[in-house]
């Protein structure tokens, strides 16, 4: 599903890939929609766990946001964009789980990060937190829409990193920018080939 989308993978394909009969699949799932709903629940839960872990282990708001743009969002970025398009159009019950996660977990998490950054003196205190949080959510959801970015050579994961840098440069104070540049320098040193 993540690689080829939802509609192009049949229950026969799933049974063949799993090395079981369709009957075996139907013993656990009533239909394809129920199976997809479970896949989405697992995807959302995995993202939630990593999102919370980043918050708990980050030394500050800037590091938290950079960490969240790697692991947790990397989960979403690795999924073929057609998966989300087809999910929204054809599997409303499963899509509602994604929307609920966005509204009840991700958006409040972005707001909390913004407030943390302001408290730490790393983010500007003159911004409208609710507005900026919505901008961040729209940034990230746009990456999941294949038609939004013209440059098809940029991967979703790379687009998330670029958007995160852009976002952080817009909300950080001078103190925050110094810290951001330090993190980015360390990140580049750790990823560049020796």
């Amino acid at each position: 599903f993540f690689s080829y989308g939802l509609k192009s993978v049949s229950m026969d394909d799933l049974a063949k890939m799993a090395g079981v009969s369709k009957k075996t699949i139907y013993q656990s799932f009533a239909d394809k929609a129920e199976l997809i709903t479970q896949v989405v629940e697992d995807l959302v839960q995995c993202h939630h766990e990593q999102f919370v872990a980043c918050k708990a282990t980050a030394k500050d708001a800037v590091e938290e946001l950079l960490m969240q743009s790697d692991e947790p969002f990397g989960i979403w970025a690795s999924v073929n964009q057609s998966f989300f398009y087809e999910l929204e159009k054809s599997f409303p019950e499963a899509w509602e789980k994604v929307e609920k996660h966005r509204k009840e977990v991700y958006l409040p998490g972005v707001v909390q990060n913004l407030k943390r950054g302001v408290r730490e003196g790393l983010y500007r205190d003159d911004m409208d937190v609710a507005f900026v949080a919505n901008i961040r959510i729209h940034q990230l959801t746009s990456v999941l829409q294949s038609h939004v970015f013209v440059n098809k050579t940029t991967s979703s994961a790379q687009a998330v990193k670029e958007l995160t840098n852009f976002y952080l440069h817009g909300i950080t104070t001078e103190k925050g920018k110094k810290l951001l540049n330090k993190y980015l320098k360390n990140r580049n040193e750790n990823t560049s080939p020796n």
Side-chain angles (χ1 to χ4, degrees):
F1 291 141
F2 293 165
S3 298
Y4 302 109
L6 298 169
K7 291 189 175 185
S8 63
V9 178
S10 69
M11 293 301 271
D12 286 322
D13 295 331
L14 290 172
K16 184 177 177 183
M17 285 184 241
V20 298
S21 68
K22 271 195 339 185
K23 182 179 177 183
T24 301
I25 293 175
Y26 284 118
Q27 288 173 344
S28 297
F29 302 98
D31 55 19
K32 187 175 180 180
E34 184 180 320
L35 176 62
I36 289 169
T37 298
Q38 185 60 53
V39 167
V40 169
E41 284 177 3
D42 290 348
L43 180 69
V44 166
Q45 182 61 32
C46 185
H47 177 265
H48 180 89
E49 289 169 5
Q50 290 189 351
F51 186 73
V52 170
C54 291
K55 182 178 178 176
T57 59
K59 295 187 249 8
D60 53 66
V62 173
E63 184 180 41
E64 176 187 338
L65 194 66
L66 288 170
M67 289 170 66
Q68 288 172 349
S69 72
D70 286 337
E71 287 290 320
F73 201 81
I75 293 168
W76 301 103
S78 67
V79 177
N80 185 320
Q81 290 94 350
S82 68
F83 174 89
F84 296 105
Y85 176 79
E86 292 171 2
L87 189 68
E88 182 178 11
K89 299 296 177 207
S90 303
F91 299 92
E93 186 177 318
W95 179 252
E96 183 54 37
K97 293 188 181 304
V98 173
E99 285 294 294
K100 182 178 180 185
H101 178 70
R102 181 181 63 81
K103 291 174 188 169
E104 295 179 6
V105 175
Y106 204 63
L107 182 59
V110 171
V111 169
Q112 290 168 3
N113 175 268
L114 287 166
K115 289 179 178 179
R116 176 183 181 183
V118 169
R119 277 193 316 273
E120 294 171 341
L122 301 173
Y123 297 166
R124 296 179 10 238
D125 62 2
D126 62 343
M127 65 181 152
D128 179 338
V129 170
F131 178 74
V132 173
N134 275 309
I135 288 175
R136 179 63 177 163
I137 295 296
H138 286 291
Q139 271 187 335
L140 297 176
T141 54
S142 69
V143 172
L144 302 177
Q145 300 168 342
S146 58
H147 64 278
V148 172
F149 286 96
V150 178
N151 183 357
K152 299 298 181 196
T153 60
T154 302
S155 70
S156 294
Q158 184 59 35
V160 168
K161 287 182 181 182
E162 293 297 327
L163 285 169
T164 298
N165 293 346
F166 180 77
Y167 172 77
L168 280 168
H169 279 291
I171 64 171
T172 49
T173 61
E174 286 306 311
K175 178 182 172 184
K177 284 185 190 349
K178 287 178 186 173
L179 189 59
L180 172 60
N181 289 331
K182 178 183 140 192
Y183 285 136
L184 293 176
K185 182 180 178 195
N186 288 344
R187 184 184 265 188
N188 289 336
E189 288 172 359
N190 292 334
T191 58
S192 62
N194 292 331

